[in-house]
Amino acid sequence: MMKLIPAFALLLLAPAVMADITLADNGPAYGPQLEGYTYPFPLAHYRFQSQGVAMDMAYMDIAPATPNGHTVVLLHGKNFCAATWEGTIRALTGAGYRVIAPDQIGWCKSTKPEHYQYTFEQLSANTHALLESLGITRAIVMGHSTGGMMAIRYGLLYPADTERLVLVDPLGLEDWRAKGVPWQSLDAQYQTQLKTTAGSIRDYERVTYYAGTWKPEYEPWVQMLAGMYRGPGKAVVAWNSALTYDMIFTQPVFHEFEKLSMPVLLMIGDKDTTAPGKQLAPPELRAQLGHYPELAKAAIARIKQGKLIEFPDLGHSPQIQDPAGFHAALLAALKP
């Protein structure tokens, strides 16, 4: 049997060993709930019933050494897990914030149901119930990528409980379906997801997330995701990925920015080009999608209490590309 390698340990491997894993796509294999993968902080589990199914929502609850009285809830993106927030968790707790970082149902270490109606409302309600179980009545909600779409929906559903929103390169700054991106059936999307490998993840992220660049520190997150597709739960992982893709494509938040009543901090890597379904669009339409600097400026103009921070040289994941610069800007913006 293949020996499981914790993702953080991949950074310590010799370049030649890393190259062998990368090229052969024979890295660690994990279970459908990322069994075998070690998170950077202790995991807890919120167990509940949803749509008639017993659910297990894994999360990290990290207390600061010197609390400042505020809590930040971190919402990961589609190609990410709560563990991907490690650097941000350390920065926030170091500044006094309590941090709650869940894996949403359908992702990573949480339940992947065979049948589930995925909506941003449902995921928000699951997260709100988790916070209630922890006695948290008000929080800063910070979402990245797909988590940014969810954060917007969370703020619309629970405005009184949302101290402020922080949106890091959120999806949903445009309505791809309304612009003409073709719909793809769940069956077709499932077949696409079944073909996921470390190579396909890496190629997509290099082009779309990191403006054609690549660094060794990005590789552990590739192996984290790819490991679920190498393991025994590949089919259910791919099916849930297809279901959540359909949620992203068919449930826009773009038309509701004016309804956000709380302060909103929008943090954008200007070289981001993410646009779900872009590969299915004709070339002339594809060229019009994913222009984040323009999309961000248009969005912030529609938000009542909005502030925009741009990172000219960064892409879809500025917190990973330039942790020091990103976290300095974040902490400065969060100060009262």
Side-chain angles (χ1 to χ4, degrees):
M1 290 184 64
M2 182 186 306
K3 183 179 180 180
L4 300 185
I5 307 172
F8 63 80
L10 290 168
L11 285 173
L12 305 178
L13 294 178
V17 176
M18 176 63 81
D20 288 344
I21 290 177
T22 297
L23 295 175
D25 193 28
N26 61 350
Y30 302 124
Q33 289 183 227
L34 260 183
E35 292 91 343
Y37 180 93
T38 303
Y39 269 32
F41 303 97
L43 272 178
H45 296 267
Y46 174 57
R47 295 182 173 89
F48 62 104
Q49 290 279 326
S50 179
Q51 299 181 21
V53 178
M55 298 291 182
D56 180 345
M57 189 174 183
Y59 66 96
M60 294 177 285
D61 182 354
I62 308 96
T66 307
N68 64 13
H70 298 272
T71 297
V72 180
V73 180
L74 298 177
L75 306 179
H76 59 75
K78 185 177 187 298
N79 294 323
F80 302 85
C81 297
T84 324
W85 284 114
E86 179 179 359
T88 303
I89 293 169
R90 296 190 187 282
L92 288 169
T93 54
Y97 295 92
R98 179 183 179 182
V99 176
I100 310 296
D103 278 337
Q104 294 300 320
I105 295 300
W107 274 270
C108 307
K109 285 191 174 287
S110 291
T111 300
K112 294 172 183 64
E114 293 184 6
H115 303 283
Y116 201 60
Q117 183 183 13
Y118 278 102
T119 66
F120 285 113
E121 285 89 346
Q122 180 68 73
L123 296 181
S124 295
N126 296 346
T127 303
H128 190 260
L130 164 65
L131 297 181
E132 284 188 325
S133 75
L134 297 173
I136 298 170
T137 58
R138 189 168 168 82
I140 299 166
V141 179
M142 179 171 175
H144 169 235
S145 190
T146 297
M149 286 186 82
M150 181 182 159
I152 292 169
R153 182 59 60 198
Y154 188 100
L156 292 169
L157 278 176
Y158 306 108
D161 302 334
T162 307
E163 183 178 336
R164 69 189 302 170
L165 294 178
V166 180
L167 309 176
V168 184
D169 285 82
L171 300 187
L173 296 182
E174 57 188 332
D175 185 342
W176 313 285
R177 182 172 58 175
K179 285 187 171 182
V181 173
W183 172 76
Q184 189 176 35
S185 72
L186 279 173
D187 293 321
Q189 185 58 222
Y190 174 59
Q191 293 303 317
T192 297
Q193 296 300 325
L194 283 173
K195 298 174 184 176
T196 300
T197 65
S200 67
I201 295 168
R202 190 182 305 107
D203 289 344
Y204 173 76
E205 293 188 358
R206 180 191 294 113
V207 172
T208 306
Y209 289 1
Y210 302 115
T213 67
W214 195 257
K215 297 179 182 178
E217 51 263 41
Y218 308 156
E219 187 65 26
W221 309 125
V222 171
Q223 296 298 329
M224 174 186 67
L225 295 177
M228 287 188 289
Y229 287 91
R230 299 186 187 110
K234 176 179 179 177
V236 74
V237 170
W239 178 242
N240 275 265
S241 184
L243 290 173
T244 55
Y245 175 87
D246 188 72
M247 172 186 70
I248 294 165
F249 187 75
T250 61
Q251 299 176 32
V253 294
F254 171 78
H255 307 285
E256 300 175 77
F257 295 156
E258 289 85 356
K259 298 178 183 177
L260 293 169
S261 58
M262 68 291 298
V264 178
L265 174 63
L266 183 57
M267 306 181 77
I268 295 293
D270 284 345
K271 291 189 175 180
D272 191 356
T273 61
T274 307
K278 182 167 62 174
Q279 75 281 4
L280 303 173
E284 61 274 13
L285 174 57
R286 196 181 311 150
Q288 302 172 29
L289 301 171
H291 296 296
Y292 269 70
E294 293 82 3
L295 294 171
K297 290 180 178 66
I300 210 69
R302 297 169 51 202
I303 296 172
K304 296 172 184 175
Q305 301 184 69
K307 178 180 179 180
L308 173 63
I309 295 177
E310 295 181 80
F311 301 96
D313 298 322
L314 303 181
H316 187 65
S317 301
Q319 75 278 23
I320 296 174
Q321 266 192 292
D322 180 15
F326 174 84
H327 294 128
L330 171 66
L331 294 178
L334 287 180
K335 287 182 179 178

